Each structure stands twice: as C-alpha cells, then as structure tokens.
Amino acid sequence: MKICVFGAGAIGGYMGAKLAQAGAEVSLVARGPHLAAMKARGLRLIEEETGTDETVPVRVAEDAAELGEQDYVIVTLKAHSVPPVVGRMQPLIGEGTTIVSGVNGVPWWYFHKIGGPLEGTRLASVDPGDAQWTGFGPDRVLGCVVYPAAEVIEPGVVRHIEGNRFSLGEPDGSKSERATRLSQALAAAGLKAPVRPKLRDEIWVKLWGNLSFNPISALTHATLDVLCTDPGTRGVARAMMLEAQVIAEKLGVKFPIDVDRRIEGGAAVGAHRTSMLQDLDLGRPMEIDALVGSVQELGRITGTPTPAIDTVLALVSLRARVAGLY
Ligand SMILES: NC(=O)C1=CN([C@@H]2O[C@H](COP(=O)(O)OP(=O)(O)OC[C@H]3O[C@@H](n4cnc5c(N)ncnc54)[C@H](OP(=O)(O)O)[C@@H]3O)[C@@H](O)[C@H]2O)C=CC1
Ligand SMILES: CC(C)(CO)C(=O)C(=O)O
C-alpha cells in the first residue's frame, strides 16, 4: 500500500515518520531547507510525551512525478497552500487513489454526499476556482480531523507535543474499505485513527476553537489560557461560537458539548500560542480563509447572521494584510 504525505511539515512529518518507523511504504513531499535536511539526514522526530528522539530514514521528494501513483495521498499542507499545487499533485493520482484531507477548517468537500438541497455546493473561501473539486474530484476524498500538536523546530526536525488522533470519515458516513485500510495502517504506526460515521460533527467541535481562539490570539497575542478566561475575549469567542453553532445545526450537525465546555477545554490547554499567532510571529501566511472566512461563507449560504464572526474576520484580515501575510 503506497502512501504519500504531501506537505510534510509539522503534522505531515509526524505522521510520515510514524508510518516509516512502522515499515509502511510511505514517501513525503516537502520543499526548501526542510526537504534538503530530510534528504541528507532523515527526519528527526522528537516525541515529548514518550521522551523519544529518533532519526528516521524517509523517502522524500519535491517533485511528485518522482513518486508515481499512490493508494493514498494525505494532504497536510496549510489550507491556502493546497489549491495552487493541485496540478503538481496529479502524478500521484491514479484511478484508485484516495485523497485524505488533513487540513484544518471547513473542508472544501463539505457538501459532497451531504444530501439535501445544498448537495454539491462549492466553497469559494477554501477552494477558489473549484481547484480541488475539479482537480481531485470529491469522490476520491476521505475526511480527516487532525488532533496532534507538532512543530518543525528546525529543518529536518519535528517536535511532537501531544496527541495522536487522526479521525477519519467518509463524506457519506460509510465504513468503507479504503477508510478501514488506512485506519489499520495508521494504527499499526501507533496512531489513533477511528473511522467516524459523522465526521462533520467532529469537524465543527474542532473548528469552534480554531474559528475563535486563533484570530483572537493573533489580534491580542494572548495565549489560550488567557484569552479563554479573560471576560472580554471569552465573550467574543463565545459569541463567535454561538453563531457557528446556529450555522452548523442548520446543516444537521449535533454538538456533543456546549460552547462553555469547549472554551474550558481551550483554557485547559494552557499557555499555548495558537498556530495563527505563531504564523503571524514567524511571518508565514495565516489560515484565515479556512478557519474564519469559510464559516462566514456558510453563514451566508444558510442565511445566518454572523456579526461577531464578521467583526473578528475584518480585524484579523487587516492585521494579516498589514503584516503582508494575507
Ligand atoms: N501543527 C499543528 O500542531 C497542527 C496543525 N493542524 C493543521 O494541519 C495542517 C498542516 O499544518 P502544519 O503541519 O502545522 O503546517 P506546516 O507548515 O508545518 O507544514 C506544511 C508543509 O508543507 C510545505 N509546503 C507548502 N507548500 C508546498 C509545496 N508546494 N510543495 C511542497 N511542500 C510544500 C511547507 O513548506 P514551507 O514551510 O516552506 O512553507 C511545510 O513544510 C494545517 O491545516 C494546520 O492547521 C492541525 C492540528 C494541529
Ligand atoms: C487553538 C488550537 C489549540 C485549538 O483550537 C489549535 O488547533 C491551534 O493552535 O491551531
């Protein structure tokens, strides 16, 4: 079974290293100094939870054409990096290839096989010009919610902080053979990869946090524990999450917890600088469209007012534009 991880940075590097350690036939697509370091020395994975530090030989490439057709292509790019590289990914894709979308935010395939009047709706915020819808085709897609926290601390070195769950789910909720096979391969690599019948419910619980905590942290430079307990920012996060809840429930989502519990979960993470704040600090493009703009777009599609989301989106977009990152 051939697996390619496309965009093997923090999350893809972690997943790729675990698969390689378990003997899977895995290759990684990366670029720049990180690619060069992995080529020269292998991928060093430091796992904080277990205290392990191992350098894993990995097959890496910049050009997908070197790797050929795959059974699974696991996309672990930042959301905005995917549409421009759909063309370059084509050599990896054959008739039986499954594309696993391991990207935060509302996925571009959200309305595929959802049923009802919105079936097949495309999302311009995450898939401008329908690049993924037409270039991959939604039938190839297996959804994935990424829970681990990891970072590239220097080229060729991934630090895994915590978590090992990659929930998988078919857009139609079925327990397909392709989902089961990948789940087994990830489990053999020591990762948790349950196949979920209602992945969209999980997407929204994760998104609740990313939608609100990430832009608020980028605007205030506060860590999660602070922004989730400060009465003012907690109120802003709560308002955004309640708007998102109305949208999601109109789309058939059932939340297993309420917003206050989700915010308490964020606070419990501690003095974490969200990925959007890290991107701003490091001068990297920010995932604003996938995490915030996409929910605003869903608000428009479902006829739901989103005043709090609109306000924070306007502020964080301008903050990012002023920094040249959006
Ligand atoms: N890191 C985390 O803890 C978590 C991340 N996520 C989500 O997972 C996804 C991936 O995030 P993360 O791993 O942090 O991101 P990273 O930026 O660490 O990884 C993406 C990698 O893809 C590379 N890349 C970008 N474009 C190309 C290209 N055209 N060809 C080859 N390589 C390319 C990047 O290189 P370069 O650096 O040069 O741009 C980078 O190494 C995001 O959606 C994120 O929100 C979800 C949960 C936690
Ligand atoms: C904020 C957090 C921890 C979850 O909402 C996250 O996923 C991020 O930093 O991007």
Side-chain angles (χ1 to χ4, degrees), residues 214-249:
N214 292 35
I216 292 172
S217 72
L219 289 166
T220 61
H221 287 227
T223 50
L224 268 185
D225 50 348
V226 175
L227 74 87
C228 289
T229 50
D230 172 84
T233 48
R234 184 186 170 105
V236 176
R238 202 169 181 279
M240 295 175 81
M241 290 163 79
L242 288 173
E243 289 171 9
Q245 181 169 358
V246 174
I247 296 168
E249 286 177 350

PDB file of all heavy atoms in Angstrom, residues 214-249:
ATOM      1  N   ASN A 214      -8.080  31.198  17.445  1.00  0.00           N
ATOM      2  CA  ASN A 214      -6.931  31.543  16.600  1.00  0.00           C
ATOM      3  C   ASN A 214      -6.895  33.020  16.218  1.00  0.00           C
ATOM      4  O   ASN A 214      -5.894  33.689  16.449  1.00  0.00           O
ATOM      5  CB  ASN A 214      -6.876  30.632  15.369  1.00  0.00           C
ATOM      6  CG  ASN A 214      -6.540  29.195  15.732  1.00  0.00           C
ATOM      7  OD1 ASN A 214      -6.942  28.706  16.777  1.00  0.00           O
ATOM      8  ND2 ASN A 214      -5.798  28.510  14.885  1.00  0.00           N
ATOM      9  N   PRO A 215      -7.995  33.584  15.649  1.00  0.00           N
ATOM     10  CA  PRO A 215      -7.904  35.009  15.311  1.00  0.00           C
ATOM     11  C   PRO A 215      -7.807  35.896  16.551  1.00  0.00           C
ATOM     12  O   PRO A 215      -7.107  36.911  16.520  1.00  0.00           O
ATOM     13  CB  PRO A 215      -9.185  35.276  14.518  1.00  0.00           C
ATOM     14  CG  PRO A 215     -10.113  34.171  14.862  1.00  0.00           C
ATOM     15  CD  PRO A 215      -9.260  32.985  15.162  1.00  0.00           C
ATOM     16  N   ILE A 216      -8.480  35.504  17.624  1.00  0.00           N
ATOM     17  CA  ILE A 216      -8.398  36.351  18.836  1.00  0.00           C
ATOM     18  C   ILE A 216      -6.958  36.366  19.350  1.00  0.00           C
ATOM     19  O   ILE A 216      -6.435  37.397  19.763  1.00  0.00           O
ATOM     20  CB  ILE A 216      -9.400  35.867  19.915  1.00  0.00           C
ATOM     21  CG1 ILE A 216     -10.837  36.113  19.438  1.00  0.00           C
ATOM     22  CG2 ILE A 216      -9.146  36.573  21.241  1.00  0.00           C
ATOM     23  CD1 ILE A 216     -11.922  35.495  20.324  1.00  0.00           C
ATOM     24  N   SER A 217      -6.295  35.239  19.270  1.00  0.00           N
ATOM     25  CA  SER A 217      -4.896  35.206  19.746  1.00  0.00           C
ATOM     26  C   SER A 217      -4.007  36.033  18.819  1.00  0.00           C
ATOM     27  O   SER A 217      -3.111  36.730  19.273  1.00  0.00           O
ATOM     28  CB  SER A 217      -4.388  33.769  19.832  1.00  0.00           C
ATOM     29  OG  SER A 217      -4.189  33.240  18.540  1.00  0.00           O
ATOM     30  N   ALA A 218      -4.288  35.970  17.507  1.00  0.00           N
ATOM     31  CA  ALA A 218      -3.467  36.748  16.572  1.00  0.00           C
ATOM     32  C   ALA A 218      -3.675  38.251  16.801  1.00  0.00           C
ATOM     33  O   ALA A 218      -2.751  39.040  16.644  1.00  0.00           O
ATOM     34  CB  ALA A 218      -3.807  36.372  15.127  1.00  0.00           C
ATOM     35  N   LEU A 219      -4.901  38.631  17.201  1.00  0.00           N
ATOM     36  CA  LEU A 219      -5.182  40.056  17.425  1.00  0.00           C
ATOM     37  C   LEU A 219      -4.643  40.555  18.759  1.00  0.00           C
ATOM     38  O   LEU A 219      -4.280  41.717  18.898  1.00  0.00           O
ATOM     39  CB  LEU A 219      -6.701  40.291  17.361  1.00  0.00           C
ATOM     40  CG  LEU A 219      -7.307  40.172  15.956  1.00  0.00           C
ATOM     41  CD1 LEU A 219      -8.832  40.079  16.023  1.00  0.00           C
ATOM     42  CD2 LEU A 219      -6.890  41.355  15.091  1.00  0.00           C
ATOM     43  N   THR A 220      -4.614  39.667  19.751  1.00  0.00           N
ATOM     44  CA  THR A 220      -4.248  40.116  21.108  1.00  0.00           C
ATOM     45  C   THR A 220      -2.861  39.644  21.543  1.00  0.00           C
ATOM     46  O   THR A 220      -2.344  40.134  22.540  1.00  0.00           O
ATOM     47  CB  THR A 220      -5.253  39.556  22.128  1.00  0.00           C
ATOM     48  OG1 THR A 220      -5.193  38.107  22.066  1.00  0.00           O
ATOM     49  CG2 THR A 220      -6.669  40.020  21.844  1.00  0.00           C
ATOM     50  N   HIS A 221      -2.325  38.654  20.839  1.00  0.00           N
ATOM     51  CA  HIS A 221      -1.065  37.995  21.216  1.00  0.00           C
ATOM     52  C   HIS A 221      -1.183  37.268  22.554  1.00  0.00           C
ATOM     53  O   HIS A 221      -0.171  36.981  23.196  1.00  0.00           O
ATOM     54  CB  HIS A 221       0.112  38.976  21.202  1.00  0.00           C
ATOM     55  CG  HIS A 221       0.528  39.333  19.804  1.00  0.00           C
ATOM     56  ND1 HIS A 221       1.835  39.333  19.384  1.00  0.00           N
ATOM     57  CD2 HIS A 221      -0.193  39.678  18.729  1.00  0.00           C
ATOM     58  CE1 HIS A 221       1.881  39.665  18.097  1.00  0.00           C
ATOM     59  NE2 HIS A 221       0.652  39.882  17.693  1.00  0.00           N
ATOM     60  N   ALA A 222      -2.398  36.968  22.957  1.00  0.00           N
ATOM     61  CA  ALA A 222      -2.588  36.250  24.223  1.00  0.00           C
ATOM     62  C   ALA A 222      -2.541  34.744  23.987  1.00  0.00           C
ATOM     63  O   ALA A 222      -2.906  34.255  22.912  1.00  0.00           O
ATOM     64  CB  ALA A 222      -3.938  36.628  24.829  1.00  0.00           C
ATOM     65  N   THR A 223      -2.091  34.020  24.994  1.00  0.00           N
ATOM     66  CA  THR A 223      -2.099  32.554  24.923  1.00  0.00           C
ATOM     67  C   THR A 223      -3.512  32.044  25.251  1.00  0.00           C
ATOM     68  O   THR A 223      -4.356  32.791  25.759  1.00  0.00           O
ATOM     69  CB  THR A 223      -1.070  31.960  25.903  1.00  0.00           C
ATOM     70  OG1 THR A 223      -1.278  32.552  27.187  1.00  0.00           O
ATOM     71  CG2 THR A 223       0.355  32.215  25.441  1.00  0.00           C
ATOM     72  N   LEU A 224      -3.743  30.754  24.960  1.00  0.00           N
ATOM     73  CA  LEU A 224      -5.099  30.203  25.085  1.00  0.00           C
ATOM     74  C   LEU A 224      -5.673  30.345  26.496  1.00  0.00           C
ATOM     75  O   LEU A 224      -6.835  30.703  26.662  1.00  0.00           O
ATOM     76  CB  LEU A 224      -5.067  28.708  24.732  1.00  0.00           C
ATOM     77  CG  LEU A 224      -5.327  28.296  23.297  1.00  0.00           C
ATOM     78  CD1 LEU A 224      -5.360  26.789  23.198  1.00  0.00           C
ATOM     79  CD2 LEU A 224      -6.642  28.876  22.799  1.00  0.00           C
ATOM     80  N   ASP A 225      -4.841  30.036  27.509  1.00  0.00           N
ATOM     81  CA  ASP A 225      -5.345  30.108  28.885  1.00  0.00           C
ATOM     82  C   ASP A 225      -5.849  31.517  29.210  1.00  0.00           C
ATOM     83  O   ASP A 225      -6.890  31.683  29.849  1.00  0.00           O
ATOM     84  CB  ASP A 225      -4.260  29.671  29.890  1.00  0.00           C
ATOM     85  CG  ASP A 225      -2.919  30.382  29.646  1.00  0.00           C
ATOM     86  OD1 ASP A 225      -2.767  31.031  28.592  1.00  0.00           O
ATOM     87  OD2 ASP A 225      -2.030  30.275  30.515  1.00  0.00           O
ATOM     88  N   VAL A 226      -5.148  32.521  28.696  1.00  0.00           N
ATOM     89  CA  VAL A 226      -5.529  33.905  28.997  1.00  0.00           C
ATOM     90  C   VAL A 226      -6.776  34.317  28.202  1.00  0.00           C
ATOM     91  O   VAL A 226      -7.750  34.804  28.770  1.00  0.00           O
ATOM     92  CB  VAL A 226      -4.347  34.857  28.692  1.00  0.00           C
ATOM     93  CG1 VAL A 226      -4.762  36.310  28.872  1.00  0.00           C
ATOM     94  CG2 VAL A 226      -3.153  34.521  29.579  1.00  0.00           C
ATOM     95  N   LEU A 227      -6.777  34.057  26.893  1.00  0.00           N
ATOM     96  CA  LEU A 227      -7.907  34.547  26.091  1.00  0.00           C
ATOM     97  C   LEU A 227      -9.207  33.800  26.393  1.00  0.00           C
ATOM     98  O   LEU A 227     -10.293  34.319  26.169  1.00  0.00           O
ATOM     99  CB  LEU A 227      -7.561  34.545  24.589  1.00  0.00           C
ATOM    100  CG  LEU A 227      -7.502  33.245  23.809  1.00  0.00           C
ATOM    101  CD1 LEU A 227      -8.852  32.847  23.254  1.00  0.00           C
ATOM    102  CD2 LEU A 227      -6.510  33.385  22.670  1.00  0.00           C
ATOM    103  N   CYS A 228      -9.087  32.572  26.911  1.00  0.00           N
ATOM    104  CA  CYS A 228     -10.297  31.806  27.255  1.00  0.00           C
ATOM    105  C   CYS A 228     -10.831  32.166  28.640  1.00  0.00           C
ATOM    106  O   CYS A 228     -11.943  31.754  28.991  1.00  0.00           O
ATOM    107  CB  CYS A 228     -10.018  30.304  27.214  1.00  0.00           C
ATOM    108  SG  CYS A 228      -9.799  29.659  25.563  1.00  0.00           S
ATOM    109  N   THR A 229     -10.067  32.898  29.438  1.00  0.00           N
ATOM    110  CA  THR A 229     -10.557  33.240  30.783  1.00  0.00           C
ATOM    111  C   THR A 229     -10.768  34.741  30.963  1.00  0.00           C
ATOM    112  O   THR A 229     -11.555  35.144  31.812  1.00  0.00           O
ATOM    113  CB  THR A 229      -9.589  32.715  31.877  1.00  0.00           C
ATOM    114  OG1 THR A 229      -8.271  33.126  31.535  1.00  0.00           O
ATOM    115  CG2 THR A 229      -9.625  31.205  31.993  1.00  0.00           C
ATOM    116  N   ASP A 230     -10.095  35.554  30.194  1.00  0.00           N
ATOM    117  CA  ASP A 230     -10.361  36.998  30.242  1.00  0.00           C
ATOM    118  C   ASP A 230     -11.832  37.210  29.869  1.00  0.00           C
ATOM    119  O   ASP A 230     -12.283  36.711  28.824  1.00  0.00           O
ATOM    120  CB  ASP A 230      -9.447  37.718  29.231  1.00  0.00           C
ATOM    121  CG  ASP A 230      -9.827  39.177  29.099  1.00  0.00           C
ATOM    122  OD1 ASP A 230      -9.366  39.959  29.931  1.00  0.00           O
ATOM    123  OD2 ASP A 230     -10.600  39.509  28.168  1.00  0.00           O
ATOM    124  N   PRO A 231     -12.601  37.912  30.704  1.00  0.00           N
ATOM    125  CA  PRO A 231     -14.049  38.001  30.425  1.00  0.00           C
ATOM    126  C   PRO A 231     -14.360  38.604  29.055  1.00  0.00           C
ATOM    127  O   PRO A 231     -15.292  38.169  28.386  1.00  0.00           O
ATOM    128  CB  PRO A 231     -14.572  38.907  31.553  1.00  0.00           C
ATOM    129  CG  PRO A 231     -13.512  38.909  32.604  1.00  0.00           C
ATOM    130  CD  PRO A 231     -12.197  38.606  31.934  1.00  0.00           C
ATOM    131  N   GLY A 232     -13.583  39.593  28.621  1.00  0.00           N
ATOM    132  CA  GLY A 232     -13.867  40.239  27.329  1.00  0.00           C
ATOM    133  C   GLY A 232     -13.635  39.313  26.159  1.00  0.00           C
ATOM    134  O   GLY A 232     -14.521  39.099  25.327  1.00  0.00           O
ATOM    135  N   THR A 233     -12.442  38.715  26.082  1.00  0.00           N
ATOM    136  CA  THR A 233     -12.151  37.860  24.916  1.00  0.00           C
ATOM    137  C   THR A 233     -12.935  36.543  24.976  1.00  0.00           C
ATOM    138  O   THR A 233     -13.319  36.002  23.947  1.00  0.00           O
ATOM    139  CB  THR A 233     -10.639  37.589  24.794  1.00  0.00           C
ATOM    140  OG1 THR A 233     -10.118  37.185  26.055  1.00  0.00           O
ATOM    141  CG2 THR A 233      -9.906  38.816  24.292  1.00  0.00           C
ATOM    142  N   ARG A 234     -13.172  36.076  26.195  1.00  0.00           N
ATOM    143  CA  ARG A 234     -14.007  34.869  26.323  1.00  0.00           C
ATOM    144  C   ARG A 234     -15.397  35.149  25.741  1.00  0.00           C
ATOM    145  O   ARG A 234     -15.975  34.328  25.020  1.00  0.00           O
ATOM    146  CB  ARG A 234     -14.111  34.457  27.804  1.00  0.00           C
ATOM    147  CG  ARG A 234     -14.885  33.172  28.005  1.00  0.00           C
ATOM    148  CD  ARG A 234     -15.096  32.858  29.488  1.00  0.00           C
ATOM    149  NE  ARG A 234     -16.024  31.753  29.613  1.00  0.00           N
ATOM    150  CZ  ARG A 234     -15.687  30.515  29.933  1.00  0.00           C
ATOM    151  NH1 ARG A 234     -14.453  30.223  30.205  1.00  0.00           N
ATOM    152  NH2 ARG A 234     -16.603  29.568  29.980  1.00  0.00           N
ATOM    153  N   GLY A 235     -15.906  36.355  26.015  1.00  0.00           N
ATOM    154  CA  GLY A 235     -17.221  36.740  25.488  1.00  0.00           C
ATOM    155  C   GLY A 235     -17.214  36.804  23.964  1.00  0.00           C
ATOM    156  O   GLY A 235     -18.176  36.388  23.309  1.00  0.00           O
ATOM    157  N   VAL A 236     -16.124  37.309  23.391  1.00  0.00           N
ATOM    158  CA  VAL A 236     -16.041  37.388  21.920  1.00  0.00           C
ATOM    159  C   VAL A 236     -16.005  35.972  21.335  1.00  0.00           C
ATOM    160  O   VAL A 236     -16.722  35.647  20.371  1.00  0.00           O
ATOM    161  CB  VAL A 236     -14.786  38.187  21.473  1.00  0.00           C
ATOM    162  CG1 VAL A 236     -14.669  38.184  19.953  1.00  0.00           C
ATOM    163  CG2 VAL A 236     -14.834  39.611  22.006  1.00  0.00           C
ATOM    164  N   ALA A 237     -15.178  35.109  21.927  1.00  0.00           N
ATOM    165  CA  ALA A 237     -15.085  33.719  21.437  1.00  0.00           C
ATOM    166  C   ALA A 237     -16.445  33.039  21.528  1.00  0.00           C
ATOM    167  O   ALA A 237     -16.894  32.369  20.593  1.00  0.00           O
ATOM    168  CB  ALA A 237     -14.047  32.949  22.244  1.00  0.00           C
ATOM    169  N   ARG A 238     -17.116  33.265  22.653  1.00  0.00           N
ATOM    170  CA  ARG A 238     -18.411  32.630  22.891  1.00  0.00           C
ATOM    171  C   ARG A 238     -19.440  33.090  21.839  1.00  0.00           C
ATOM    172  O   ARG A 238     -20.185  32.279  21.270  1.00  0.00           O
ATOM    173  CB  ARG A 238     -18.874  33.020  24.289  1.00  0.00           C
ATOM    174  CG  ARG A 238     -19.879  32.105  24.890  1.00  0.00           C
ATOM    175  CD  ARG A 238     -20.085  32.400  26.364  1.00  0.00           C
ATOM    176  NE  ARG A 238     -21.065  31.445  26.850  1.00  0.00           N
ATOM    177  CZ  ARG A 238     -22.357  31.598  26.683  1.00  0.00           C
ATOM    178  NH1 ARG A 238     -22.838  32.665  26.076  1.00  0.00           N
ATOM    179  NH2 ARG A 238     -23.196  30.657  27.115  1.00  0.00           N
ATOM    180  N   ALA A 239     -19.435  34.392  21.554  1.00  0.00           N
ATOM    181  CA  ALA A 239     -20.380  34.933  20.566  1.00  0.00           C
ATOM    182  C   ALA A 239     -20.108  34.327  19.185  1.00  0.00           C
ATOM    183  O   ALA A 239     -21.044  33.933  18.460  1.00  0.00           O
ATOM    184  CB  ALA A 239     -20.257  36.458  20.517  1.00  0.00           C
ATOM    185  N   MET A 240     -18.834  34.217  18.829  1.00  0.00           N
ATOM    186  CA  MET A 240     -18.489  33.622  17.517  1.00  0.00           C
ATOM    187  C   MET A 240     -18.931  32.161  17.470  1.00  0.00           C
ATOM    188  O   MET A 240     -19.472  31.678  16.470  1.00  0.00           O
ATOM    189  CB  MET A 240     -16.978  33.685  17.283  1.00  0.00           C
ATOM    190  CG  MET A 240     -16.424  35.088  17.161  1.00  0.00           C
ATOM    191  SD  MET A 240     -14.632  35.064  17.023  1.00  0.00           S
ATOM    192  CE  MET A 240     -14.407  34.683  15.280  1.00  0.00           C
ATOM    193  N   MET A 241     -18.688  31.468  18.571  1.00  0.00           N
ATOM    194  CA  MET A 241     -19.016  30.036  18.586  1.00  0.00           C
ATOM    195  C   MET A 241     -20.525  29.801  18.537  1.00  0.00           C
ATOM    196  O   MET A 241     -20.990  28.851  17.905  1.00  0.00           O
ATOM    197  CB  MET A 241     -18.389  29.392  19.840  1.00  0.00           C
ATOM    198  CG  MET A 241     -16.879  29.313  19.740  1.00  0.00           C
ATOM    199  SD  MET A 241     -16.048  29.027  21.323  1.00  0.00           S
ATOM    200  CE  MET A 241     -16.291  27.296  21.504  1.00  0.00           C
ATOM    201  N   LEU A 242     -21.284  30.693  19.198  1.00  0.00           N
ATOM    202  CA  LEU A 242     -22.751  30.523  19.166  1.00  0.00           C
ATOM    203  C   LEU A 242     -23.286  30.772  17.755  1.00  0.00           C
ATOM    204  O   LEU A 242     -24.205  30.088  17.299  1.00  0.00           O
ATOM    205  CB  LEU A 242     -23.410  31.452  20.191  1.00  0.00           C
ATOM    206  CG  LEU A 242     -23.202  31.020  21.654  1.00  0.00           C
ATOM    207  CD1 LEU A 242     -23.727  32.088  22.619  1.00  0.00           C
ATOM    208  CD2 LEU A 242     -23.881  29.669  21.951  1.00  0.00           C
ATOM    209  N   GLU A 243     -22.698  31.742  17.061  1.00  0.00           N
ATOM    210  CA  GLU A 243     -23.110  31.964  15.658  1.00  0.00           C
ATOM    211  C   GLU A 243     -22.783  30.723  14.819  1.00  0.00           C
ATOM    212  O   GLU A 243     -23.604  30.279  14.000  1.00  0.00           O
ATOM    213  CB  GLU A 243     -22.382  33.181  15.078  1.00  0.00           C
ATOM    214  CG  GLU A 243     -22.858  34.511  15.654  1.00  0.00           C
ATOM    215  CD  GLU A 243     -21.998  35.705  15.262  1.00  0.00           C
ATOM    216  OE1 GLU A 243     -21.104  35.561  14.398  1.00  0.00           O
ATOM    217  OE2 GLU A 243     -22.228  36.794  15.816  1.00  0.00           O
ATOM    218  N   ALA A 244     -21.592  30.181  15.040  1.00  0.00           N
ATOM    219  CA  ALA A 244     -21.193  28.981  14.290  1.00  0.00           C
ATOM    220  C   ALA A 244     -22.120  27.815  14.605  1.00  0.00           C
ATOM    221  O   ALA A 244     -22.454  27.007  13.727  1.00  0.00           O
ATOM    222  CB  ALA A 244     -19.750  28.619  14.629  1.00  0.00           C
ATOM    223  N   GLN A 245     -22.545  27.744  15.858  1.00  0.00           N
ATOM    224  CA  GLN A 245     -23.436  26.641  16.249  1.00  0.00           C
ATOM    225  C   GLN A 245     -24.773  26.708  15.498  1.00  0.00           C
ATOM    226  O   GLN A 245     -25.288  25.686  15.039  1.00  0.00           O
ATOM    227  CB  GLN A 245     -23.675  26.691  17.765  1.00  0.00           C
ATOM    228  CG  GLN A 245     -24.575  25.560  18.250  1.00  0.00           C
ATOM    229  CD  GLN A 245     -24.600  25.427  19.756  1.00  0.00           C
ATOM    230  OE1 GLN A 245     -23.907  26.174  20.462  1.00  0.00           O
ATOM    231  NE2 GLN A 245     -25.375  24.483  20.246  1.00  0.00           N
ATOM    232  N   VAL A 246     -25.288  27.925  15.339  1.00  0.00           N
ATOM    233  CA  VAL A 246     -26.564  28.069  14.608  1.00  0.00           C
ATOM    234  C   VAL A 246     -26.382  27.571  13.168  1.00  0.00           C
ATOM    235  O   VAL A 246     -27.204  26.818  12.631  1.00  0.00           O
ATOM    236  CB  VAL A 246     -27.048  29.545  14.625  1.00  0.00           C
ATOM    237  CG1 VAL A 246     -28.291  29.711  13.755  1.00  0.00           C
ATOM    238  CG2 VAL A 246     -27.321  30.005  16.049  1.00  0.00           C
ATOM    239  N   ILE A 247     -25.263  27.976  12.560  1.00  0.00           N
ATOM    240  CA  ILE A 247     -24.998  27.568  11.170  1.00  0.00           C
ATOM    241  C   ILE A 247     -24.903  26.047  11.088  1.00  0.00           C
ATOM    242  O   ILE A 247     -25.545  25.394  10.258  1.00  0.00           O
ATOM    243  CB  ILE A 247     -23.668  28.188  10.672  1.00  0.00           C
ATOM    244  CG1 ILE A 247     -23.772  29.707  10.631  1.00  0.00           C
ATOM    245  CG2 ILE A 247     -23.282  27.622   9.298  1.00  0.00           C
ATOM    246  CD1 ILE A 247     -22.427  30.419  10.444  1.00  0.00           C
ATOM    247  N   ALA A 248     -24.065  25.485  11.965  1.00  0.00           N
ATOM    248  CA  ALA A 248     -23.811  24.040  11.909  1.00  0.00           C
ATOM    249  C   ALA A 248     -25.096  23.253  12.149  1.00  0.00           C
ATOM    250  O   ALA A 248     -25.354  22.244  11.471  1.00  0.00           O
ATOM    251  CB  ALA A 248     -22.750  23.669  12.938  1.00  0.00           C
ATOM    252  N   GLU A 249     -25.898  23.707  13.106  1.00  0.00           N
ATOM    253  CA  GLU A 249     -27.135  22.968  13.387  1.00  0.00           C
ATOM    254  C   GLU A 249     -28.107  23.053  12.216  1.00  0.00           C
ATOM    255  O   GLU A 249     -28.814  22.085  11.925  1.00  0.00           O
ATOM    256  CB  GLU A 249     -27.740  23.464  14.705  1.00  0.00           C
ATOM    257  CG  GLU A 249     -26.902  22.921  15.871  1.00  0.00           C
ATOM    258  CD  GLU A 249     -27.324  23.383  17.265  1.00  0.00           C
ATOM    259  OE1 GLU A 249     -28.175  24.292  17.371  1.00  0.00           O
ATOM    260  OE2 GLU A 249     -26.785  22.838  18.240  1.00  0.00           O
TER     261      GLU A 249
END
